Amino acid sequence: MMRDVREDRSERVDEGVRILPAGAPMLTGKGAVVTGGGRGIGVAVARKLTRAGAAVVVSARSENEIESVAEGLRAAGRTAHAIVCDVTDPESVAAMAARARELLGSVDVVVNNAGIARSAPFLKVSLEQWETVHRVNATGPLLVTQAFLPGMLERGWGRIVNVASVASLIGNPYITAYAASKHALIGMARCLADELAGTGVTVNSVCPSYVDTPMTDANIEKISAKTGRDADAIRQRLEQKQPGGRMITVDEVAHAVMTFMPDDAASLQGAELVIRGGGGAR
Ligand code: NDP
């Protein structure tokens, strides 16, 4: 039988500060939605959120992947549900939001993680590529955030975290559409952060460089297919180019996401946390 998180709301509020029972994880009684929660970074984020006591909805288009993630979390004793959603489709987002509220009681945490990567030299960026990438990476977070923000504002507490990229802050060859969409995501967060000041709701972004995920595997395969170079050699080259000589792990990104969760993170507003294992990125 599924645990009803509404029964777990054992916190007290004292002069505006939440007082949890001794030893309770910090997100006890909170509901969280992770988009793109079927593989890669989203899975690690869902894992850490549930470990911190949140009841989680993992969402993406591939039902088998999100069902298997939710099942794995439930097998570990956590509260997790899967809801299919295409973040580019307003109706799909509205339906997901309604179902998430039904299942979780309230949605207090949103991690805008769903994203896609495409590459092309500037003159070969098609309108189709530009629009597809922007719809997932920029419009998706707008729709999902708009769906859940009113409830957070009503309750006076919320955490929105965008999984952006170092490509939100710098340019690189051949990733025009991706970098532009990730710059748009950061621009949205900067504006929203100013609007949210003093509301108890925060919006922040994490900006990783190359992370070891299925997205990166797919990119390496594409480069290999295009250039005829060996995929392992391409991976090694990518790793060598990272300041720490390796890719970032999904758990390292999830850890960065979690830094925005505590009550004491209330003044982290509109921040961009770069994760690349070395200084710089701008
Ligand atoms: P993966 O490709 O491994 O996972 C992406 C997730 O997003 C999947 O669950 C996918 O599921 C979902 N998704 C894609 N399109 C949509 C859509 N239209 N609606 C709903 N869900 C969607 O990617 P990563 O884990 O690597 O990336 C996660 C985020 O991190 C992305 O925003 C990415 O840009 C960002 N990032 C990744 C880096 C990397 O090196 N991997 C570096 C910096 C940032 P499905 O296809 O089933 O819908």
Side-chain angles (χ1 to χ4, degrees), residues 41-209:
I41 293 167
V43 181
V45 170
R47 234 177 3 232
K48 283 209 197 291
L49 286 168
T50 54
R51 196 175 301 154
V56 167
V57 160
V58 283
S59 181
R61 292 166 306 172
S62 307
E63 188 166 13
N64 57 335
E65 290 190 350
I66 51 174
E67 284 294 353
S68 133
V69 171
E71 252 174 56
L73 290 168
R74 288 197 293 268
R78 320 264 170 78
T79 306
H81 312 274
I83 306 178
V84 172
C85 173
D86 180 340
V87 295
T88 67
D89 174 358
E91 280 178 23
S92 178
V93 171
M96 180 273 281
R99 184 75 185 124
R101 280 191 287 266
E102 237 170 67
L103 288 166
L104 302 176
S106 65
V107 176
D108 311 288
V109 174
V110 167
V111 181
N112 285 312
N113 165 74
I116 57 168
R118 299 282 182 274
S119 61
F122 181 85
L123 287 176
K124 295 223 162 114
V125 176
S126 64
L127 188 56
E128 193 271 335
Q129 176 181 114
W130 176 268
E131 287 182 347
T132 303
V133 170
H134 277 76
R135 270 201 299 275
V136 182
N137 295 353
T139 310
L142 173 81
L143 296 174
V144 172
T145 304
Q146 285 181 334
F148 292 111
L149 182 58
M152 295 180 186
L153 290 171
E154 255 171 49
R155 290 183 297 277
W157 196 96
R159 296 286 183 265
I160 301 157
V161 182
N162 299 315
V163 180
S165 168
V166 288
S168 296
L169 306 168
I170 55 167
N172 273 127
Y174 311 131
I175 57 165
T176 295
Y178 181 75
S181 71
K182 291 290 185 180
H183 274 67
L185 178 59
I186 288 280
M188 181 183 89
R190 287 178 182 169
C191 296
L192 179 57
D194 271 5
E195 290 189 30
L196 289 178
T199 62
V201 181
T202 65
V203 58
N204 293 286
S205 306
V206 296
C207 301
S209 63

